[in-house]
Amino acid sequence: IKGLSRITSVKLTSLKVRSPANAPDDEDELALREVEYLMNYVGNIPDLLLQRIDGPGAVREWRVYRPLGVAKQCLTCHGDLSKQSPALRAKISELYPEDQAIDYRNQQWRGLIRVTVKEDASK
């Protein structure tokens, strides 16, 4: 990508977030539901999803999403609650009282990594 300053954000989002700061906005929700649909009814998902955002009076932006899976090492904090130590559970509860990002299995779909790129307004 020419002009990396056009990358305006990088975000991890999911249908089950740990931090409210990672909650999906409306466009993220559409992408997440698309991946969920493809997994449930088609059986596979693309490596990348591309979404064009046209806001009234705003510079067009593009969102590039990449599905994110759960690796074995992620399960320490995102897996079965009964396998977490009381100290770990207490710390996660303290930091993320509204935690929903639990009970995942190895290699399960976790969410999306999103990179937002503003279109070159000089064109």
Side-chain angles (χ1 to χ4, degrees):
I1 298 174
K2 285 188 175 184
L4 292 179
S5 62
R6 292 182 15 223
I7 295 176
T8 59
S9 68
V10 177
K11 178 181 180 180
L12 167 65
T13 191
S14 177
L15 295 172
K16 295 177 14 175
V17 295
R18 172 149 286 170
S19 170
N22 294 333
D25 62 18
D26 291 342
E27 290 81 8
D28 293 336
E29 179 87 20
L30 286 171
L32 288 160
R33 296 294 177 193
E34 174 73 8
V35 170
E36 182 180 55
Y37 172 83
L38 290 171
M39 283 181 23
N40 291 334
Y41 297 102
V42 177
N44 62 7
I45 55 176
D47 291 335
L48 293 174
L49 288 93
L50 183 63
Q51 185 181 60
R52 186 177 86 186
I53 310 295
D54 291 316
V59 174
R60 175 179 290 154
E61 69 179 32
W62 295 89
R63 291 185 178 184
V64 181
Y65 295 94
R66 183 170 184 102
L68 178 67
V70 176
K72 187 176 179 181
Q73 60 269 30
C74 302
L75 297 175
T76 301
C77 296
H78 293 283
D80 185 345
L81 292 179
S82 69
K83 295 181 180 179
Q84 292 180 355
S85 72
L88 175 60
R89 191 71 232 142
K91 189 63 174 178
I92 291 172
S93 294
E94 174 190 330
L95 295 172
Y96 307 103
E98 299 176 41
D99 184 18
Q100 301 169 9
I102 54 173
D103 293 327
Y104 283 103
R105 295 177 313 280
N106 192 31
Q107 301 300 310
Q108 184 178 8
W109 174 60
R110 165 78 173 85
L112 297 170
I113 296 173
R114 180 192 87 199
V115 176
T116 303
V117 181
K118 291 278 186 191
E119 193 166 276
D120 186 352
S122 65
K123 290 183 180 182

